[in-house]
Amino acid sequence: MNDDVLQAPPRAGHRVRVTTPPEPRRDHLPLGEPAGSPDRIEVTSRWIGRAGRPWFPVTGEIHYSRIPRERWPEVLGHARAGGLDSVATYVFWRAHEPQPGDFRWDGDLDLRAFVELAASHGLDVVVRLGPWAHGESRLGGFPDWLVERGLRTRTDDPAYLDLVRAFYAQSIAQLTGLTHAEGGPVVAAQVDNELYDQPAHLATLRRTAEDLGLRVPLWTATGWGGAQVPHTLLPVYSAYADGFWEDSRTEWPEFAAAHFRYSPVRDDLSVGADLREALDGIVLDPASVPLEDDALPFATCELGGGMHVAYHRRPLVTAADVAALALAKIGSGSIWQGYYMYAGGTQRTAAVPGQVGGEQESHATGYPNDVPELTYDFWAPVGEHGQVRPHHHALRRQHLWLQAEGERLAAMTTTVGGGSERTDELRWAVRSDGRRGYLFLTTYQPERQPLTAQDGVQVTVAFDDGAEVTVPTVPVDLPAGVSLAWPLRYALTPDVELRGATAQVVTRLAVDGDEVVVLAATAGVPVELVLDGDVPVGGAGQGEHRDGATVVELRTPPGPTCVVVLPGVRVLVLDDASADRLYRLEVGGRERLVLSDAPLYVEDGALVLHPDTGRATVSLLPPPVAVRASEGRVTEGRDDGPWRTWSLDVPSGGHRPVLTGARPLDATAPEPVHGGPMDRLSAPTDWSGAAHLRVAVPRDALDGVDRALLRITWRGDAGRAYVGERLVSDHFWHGRPWDVDLTPWRDEVAAGGLRLELLPWSAGAGVWVDPTVRGLDDGVVVDAVDVVRVARVRLEVGEPGAWS
């Protein structure tokens, strides 16, 4: 993966030589489709190909069985608007066969309907078939009745395989007519999960599925933990910024920092290590981790889209952590970005009458961690109740870039530099095809081990054709906490080449006969564009011709109206905040750029907004003549440079305070209890000392809105929310507010309110929380309770006459 690297002393800058990569190996793996297949998918040694070109998939994990069916369209809409081209989903055996032979595929369990709906949103599907899934599910997703039979599960035990074959047959029947070869969206299947020492069994699972009629081009298995994956499956990898599965004495997982460095190392022994140790007694040696396999491309399926919490350990992963880690993997050579989770959900309630314990992973079912009984929010880009988080926007910037440039990026190899553990060293990589590429730079690492700012940064890249590019032309100071990918020899048009830039490519779109190329500036880094040759510059840029190049500086600050005019192309340079508001969507029959301060997606050519405030602003390029809204009042569109902007008043949206002012509550913490195979802190079962708080919610705070969330800002240990005697939500306090979806219980809540049971924080218990939220006094304090009213507004665009 690495080419020759030449490094001068840091003050003199860095110099790197890149070469043209060799042609990839083809047809050496039993994966992909035959030559001549429509939209053929193939696997080379360096990338996945589709329709004869390199393909850079972007996949997000969404569990249909953990999301109410009526919310599937919204979640899949946000996924597509977020730049995903595919979704992955577990088929949890225990959900679909709660009793032997009693298969269920109805309601929220309708796999076929979910796959069809994903296809209607333009999304491909990766089906994670199991039979063992993990996913923080009870018994890893195995039905209780299966475990009680005492079979040698996850092996080629004939009795076990007979049961797997019946489950697979039912699952595959749901996918009839939906595979890629049949013109459908199912492009891949994963067998089992985190199985590291049974390669023959993994191969058997693929053969079994194929014998039952499943034909997909991509067969995968998780490769982390030093997994032995047979050559019939593509190993896919993970990377998390933190892990709830670590011990409560672990300040930061050993492997976490490595994921913020550019590196050829694909594996992570920390993921699943608790289960290997607890269930199998295996501790792997980090020295056994392979750097790479030249026969296989670097694909991921579980880049942490957030992080779950366990009772004993409660990470506080940030949006910046998620985005920086994802970009580091692209800089390290990933050719498939897969996120776990992309949308959170809720654990199912017990499917079997009389079952002891919930559907979650727990000490009671022999696992090392107690996770919440219901919430599986994972602090994902799209939350358990449809909350759209900041990393949905930060990741979308990367995904739009991959949509536009993924074909080229996938074919580029990576040269890595500055990859040590030192926090004062510039970390960089170049991804290149020998003729052009991208320079990756980072000064980002989570607050546990932050990196320092880097002064006087300048990198010279020598390409295979003899050309050299130095970026920037004058050394620049990089502030701490940034991750960048700057273009090198980027073709703006066939005649205009961007030799280098200190801004990142986001996307590009043809508008009125000209290309519009969107770049994003980084706060604290001056924008410089260097064009090859003498190029006339207009608009927001001013050019200086020197040494056979045109150096462009901006005359106006980056933002939606900062447009540099060049021959045949307009370069729109956005600021960070505006780049996070940018979408590229097909609206009103054509592709448009959209700036919005409310989350949105597309439905039948119209925009669907979900504002949780009383106002929203939407800008479109190219602008339509007019827009109309299904709710609220739209102001007349105003021209904003190349955009047209509309403001929308949404009276139904906004926050309604229910309780204000800090309220300390009397409560007594239960004695700490340890359990499970690793003797970790167990979630409390004794709630006798809990504080009880009844929250009355006015009817008018619940009605007339798409979704009503109760947002509880509090400090304590563990909480449960009841409507009547029904447990509707639970929460292990970890520093973020607790959201409870009131929408399904509007009538009951309006009549009788909501009851909270809250256990107090006890510092002596030994629960690990993030350093930024430590120092909490023992006890329970409710700081505020609000109803977050999330509206749903459909915004149609077009000619006013078409609506009459």
Side-chain angles (χ1 to χ4, degrees), residues 584-729:
R584 178 179 171 171
L585 301 166
E586 187 171 326
V587 184
R590 67 176 296 177
E591 287 251 279
R592 303 179 196 268
L593 301 178
V594 182
L595 289 170
S596 174
D597 52 13
L600 57 78
Y601 57 92
V602 171
E603 177 184 83
D604 300 326
L607 293 173
V608 176
L609 283 73
H610 282 282
D612 62 4
T613 63
R615 287 183 64 82
T617 301
V618 177
S619 304
L620 295 165
L621 174 66
V625 174
V627 303
R628 70 170 180 176
S630 62
E631 178 190 336
R633 181 176 63 86
V634 180
T635 61
E636 190 67 30
R638 69 179 187 275
D639 290 333
D640 253 343
W643 307 84
R644 183 163 294 157
T645 299
W646 288 265
S647 294
L648 178 65
D649 289 317
V650 189
S652 64
H655 292 211
R656 301 272 188 93
V658 176
L659 295 174
T660 58
R663 296 189 179 202
L665 301 174
D666 291 332
T668 302
E671 287 296 316
V673 174
H674 290 73
M678 300 184 80
D679 197 36
R680 290 174 170 171
L681 279 167
S682 300
T685 56
D686 177 7
W687 288 75
S688 60
H692 290 247
L693 180 65
R694 185 165 294 277
V695 180
V697 182
R699 181 86 213 196
D700 65 357
L702 300 168
D703 290 343
V705 71
D706 183 66
R707 188 163 60 253
L709 306 180
L710 193 72
R711 181 159 295 164
I712 304 151
T713 305
W714 73 298
R715 293 165 283 162
D717 179 43
R720 304 193 298 195
Y722 288 85
V723 174
E725 296 305 311
R726 184 186 183 105
L727 177 67
V728 299
S729 184

Side-chain angles (χ1 to χ4, degrees), residues 687 714 717-721 729-733 738 757-759:
W687 288 75
W714 73 298
D717 179 43
R720 304 193 298 195
S729 184
D730 58 352
H731 189 254
F732 295 160
W733 180 84
W738 171 19
E757 291 184 357
L758 307 172
L759 286 174

Side-chain angles (χ1 to χ4, degrees), residues 442-457:
T442 185
T443 59
Y444 187 90
Q445 201 160 268
E447 284 302 312
R448 243 71 59 77
Q449 293 179 14
L451 304 184
T452 61
Q454 293 289 322
D455 297 337
V457 172

Side-chain angles (χ1 to χ4, degrees), residues 219-495:
W219 291 90
T220 73
T222 49
W224 56 82
Q228 303 167 44
V229 177
H231 74 286
T232 55
L233 302 169
L234 175 66
V236 286
Y237 292 94
S238 65
Y240 289 93
D242 207 329
F244 71 85
W245 52 81
E246 292 286 332
D247 190 84
S248 58
R249 293 165 295 184
T250 301
E251 275 302 308
W252 202 25
E254 183 179 353
F255 262 75
H259 293 308
F260 293 91
R261 301 195 292 271
Y262 310 114
S263 169
V265 177
R266 302 176 183 182
D267 200 356
D268 183 341
L269 294 188
S270 70
V271 181
D274 57 329
L275 295 185
R276 289 194 299 272
E277 182 178 350
L279 304 184
D280 301 323
I282 301 295
V283 179
L284 297 176
D285 179 4
S288 68
V289 181
L291 289 182
E292 58 183 290
D293 185 338
D294 289 338
L296 300 167
F298 177 18
T300 71
C301 69
E302 289 197 16
L303 302 179
M307 180 46 57
H308 201 31
V309 296
Y311 183 74
H312 74 282
R313 194 172 195 279
R314 310 176 191 182
L316 198 64
V317 169
T318 70
D321 295 342
V322 172
L325 185 150
L327 191 58
K329 290 303 165 184
I330 299 174
S332 297
S334 167
I335 55 83
W336 186 348
Q337 296 288 91
Y339 299 96
Y340 192 99
M341 296 288 297
Y342 193 81
T346 306
Q347 297 274 17
R348 297 179 54 77
T349 52
V352 180
Q355 173 182 297
V356 177
E359 288 292 292
Q360 82 283 15
E361 173 181 324
S362 67
H363 292 170
T365 53
Y367 282 70
N369 310 300
D370 262 348
V371 301
E373 183 175 347
L374 291 180
T375 183
Y376 198 65
D377 177 80
F378 219 87
W379 207 67
V382 179
E384 178 182 11
H385 308 306
Q387 311 98 310
V388 174
R389 271 52 183 273
H391 38 316
H392 172 72
H393 306 299
L395 289 174
R396 186 175 62 249
R397 291 166 60 167
Q398 298 180 25
H399 301 161
L400 292 178
W401 172 44
L402 294 177
Q403 283 180 359
E405 291 296 306
E407 178 182 335
R408 295 181 183 87
L409 267 166
M412 294 177 179
T413 54
T414 298
T415 302
V416 173
S420 77
E421 297 180 7
R422 288 174 47 184
T423 59
D424 61 347
E425 180 183 35
L426 177 66
R427 296 176 178 179
W428 58 268
V430 176
R431 193 157 177 175
S432 172
D433 60 8
R435 169 66 179 78
R436 55 178 52 85
Y438 287 89
L439 169 64
F440 292 80
L441 301 166
T442 185
T443 59
Y444 187 90
Q445 201 160 268
E447 284 302 312
R448 243 71 59 77
Q449 293 179 14
L451 304 184
T452 61
Q454 293 289 322
D455 297 337
V457 172
Q458 188 178 52
V459 179
T460 297
V461 180
F463 290 94
D464 215 15
D465 60 2
E468 291 191 356
V469 174
T470 298
V471 61
T473 59
V474 177
V476 67
D477 296 341
L478 289 187
V482 299
S483 290
L484 312 168
W486 288 343
L488 304 171
R489 305 179 82 186
Y490 177 80
L492 295 171
T493 73
D495 301 317

